[in-house]
Amino acid sequence: MRPNTIVLIHGFWVTPRAWENWISHYENKGFHVIAPAYPGFEVEVEALNADPTAIETATVPEILSSLEKLITGLDRPPVLMGHSAGGAFTQVLMDRGLGTAGVVINSAPVEGVLTVPLSQIRSLFPVLKSPANRHRAVGLDIEQWRYAFANTFPEDQARTTYERYHIPAPGNIVWSSSLANLHPGHTDTHVDFHNADRAPLLFLSGEHDHLMPPKVQESNARHYTAEGTTTEARTFPGRSHLMAVQDGWQEIADYALDWALDHS
């Protein structure tokens, strides 16, 4: 049965507002589109910047539980799409049997992916430079935002996106994710790469993404080895991390949807 709902899962340093173009684009194609906020993130960007308490206390189990409850309450399995940290959450949800197809865009890696490019370390340094940030909501200044999110944008567009989308990120989750492969036992972003029941999964990367470079996506994709499953990866030239709002975003949105429908 053709999916009638698309669930868009945002990443860190932004809210569901970052999906605003995709929401209207897919709704105009006749789909029911849901872009849920993490628990406590349901207010506007400006309110979260003024009071980041909900960001400081966010946890991955709480986020995943909220998303799972939403998805299982739908009348039929949706297409799942996730950006950045939302891409990692999408992978976990698909490993749990949710979604008829998944597309992850500049996805954060799940547990077990060891590729860590220098540009990624530099992008995350505002959080990782101090262990005290594990208890804080950590924002980026405009130059840090431009390097990590909008390095291929004209300067005026980079600033516009910063003012419209930027919020602090939960330091505790960023720190925990960065150390995921050093902890004994499984972490919150563990998936079974050998799960033969997982729905088709597509990794989309921006060629010049500093935060989650293509080599991270490609490494993550290669970890999925279950016979009979579909895992593909594609890199879009000239794009940076925030390519969902970059000029030409329609090409990516249409490619993601067409692939998901073809593989559902």
Side-chain angles (χ1 to χ4, degrees), residues 87-255:
F89 299 152
T90 297
Q91 292 181 65
V92 174
L93 293 167
M94 293 184 67
D95 186 48
R96 296 179 182 181
L98 303 177
T100 186
V103 180
V104 295
I105 302 159
N106 294 331
S107 178
V110 294
E111 176 190 325
V113 179
L114 302 178
T115 303
V116 186
L118 289 176
S119 68
Q120 185 179 60
I121 296 173
R122 178 177 170 183
S123 297
L124 295 173
F125 186 71
V127 180
L128 302 180
K129 66 182 179 181
S130 171
N133 285 336
R134 299 190 72 159
H135 309 290
R136 297 171 178 162
V138 184
L140 304 175
D141 63 30
I142 180 59
E143 293 306 320
Q144 292 165 342
W145 170 268
R146 189 170 188 191
Y147 181 82
F149 278 75
N151 52 298
T152 61
F153 287 42
E155 185 174 356
D156 60 336
Q157 290 184 13
R159 184 170 294 277
T160 297
T161 61
Y162 179 74
E163 294 171 351
R164 178 148 185 81
Y165 302 119
H166 169 266
I167 63 169
N172 63 316
I173 300 180
V174 175
W175 261 91
S176 296
S177 299
S178 299
L179 299 175
N181 294 312
L182 302 178
H183 291 300
H186 293 313
T187 66
D188 296 330
T189 58
H190 168 75
V191 301
D192 178 6
F193 292 119
H194 307 289
N195 181 1
D197 295 324
R198 193 215 71 220
L201 175 61
L202 172 66
F203 287 80
L204 297 182
S205 303
E207 178 189 15
H208 300 303
D209 183 358
H210 284 157
L211 182 56
M212 299 297 167
K215 64 176 61 177
V216 174
Q217 317 297 302
E218 293 159 3
S219 176
N220 199 156
R222 286 196 300 269
H223 278 69
Y224 286 101
T225 57
E227 186 175 353
T229 58
T230 299
T231 308
E232 297 181 8
R234 175 178 173 178
T235 298
F236 283 84
R239 312 302 173 98
S240 51
H241 189 66
L242 200 63
M243 65 183 186
V245 304
Q246 189 171 2
D247 289 348
W249 60 265
Q250 297 92 335
E251 177 190 4
I252 300 165
D254 288 341
Y255 186 90

